[in-house]
Amino acid sequence: AVGVALAFVISRMITVPLAKTQDTISLFANGDLTVQFDTDGTDEIAVIAKNLDDMSTSLGGVIGAVNSAGFNISETAHDFSAMAEETNASVEELRSNVDEMAVNLDGLASSSEEVNASVQEVAAGAQTTAEKGT
């Protein structure tokens, strides 16, 4: 009877911590990274639980860093988008100024042609007057 009781106690010393560790692993596997493994003791199960707890902490740090990097990438993309919009507005303004300058140059060319025609008329008139006076 003592042997059976001793076997039961030893069995419970193994199965209870193992069941707790298994339940915690299940929670961890389903995405709960806040779980804490029961690391009390020095037996093999406690050592495994300690290693799993360390892994959980490390993984939480990695996920935090990935989230932070994702936020930074999102913020940078937003900044690039704003800069692209500003550049587009500047290009549009420059295009408008170039169009206005082209219109002004066309007007200047027309005015130059008119002045040239007037000068030719005056020259022709002067020549006609000179020819009549001779």
Side-chain angles (χ1 to χ4, degrees):
V2 173
V4 172
L6 186 58
F8 179 76
V9 169
I10 292 173
S11 170
R12 296 289 294 163
M13 288 174 57
I14 294 171
T15 58
V16 170
L18 192 57
K20 284 183 182 179
T21 300
Q22 184 177 6
D23 290 343
T24 306
I25 289 171
S26 180
L27 291 171
F28 182 72
N30 287 317
D32 185 357
L33 302 180
T34 63
V35 296
Q36 295 287 314
F37 290 88
D38 184 7
T39 59
D40 294 336
T42 58
D43 61 359
E44 290 83 1
I45 295 173
V47 170
I48 290 171
K50 171 74 173 116
N51 290 334
L52 288 170
D53 201 45
D54 291 345
M55 181 181 72
S56 172
T57 301
S58 295
L59 187 58
V62 168
I63 289 174
V66 168
N67 282 339
S68 178
F71 176 77
N72 289 340
I73 289 170
S74 174
E75 199 170 273
T76 301
H78 182 268
D79 291 346
F80 281 144
S81 177
M83 286 190 298
E85 287 178 18
E86 288 177 22
T87 300
N88 190 34
S90 296
V91 166
E92 191 60 34
E93 183 179 349
L94 181 61
R95 186 196 59 78
S96 176
N97 290 340
V98 167
D99 287 347
E100 185 179 332
M101 192 181 298
V103 167
N104 290 338
L105 287 174
D106 283 344
L108 183 60
S110 292
S111 295
S112 294
E113 288 173 7
E114 289 173 13
V115 167
N116 188 31
S118 295
V119 166
Q120 285 179 356
E121 280 181 31
V122 169
Q127 185 174 1
T128 302
T129 302
E131 288 175 358
K132 284 184 186 179
T134 56

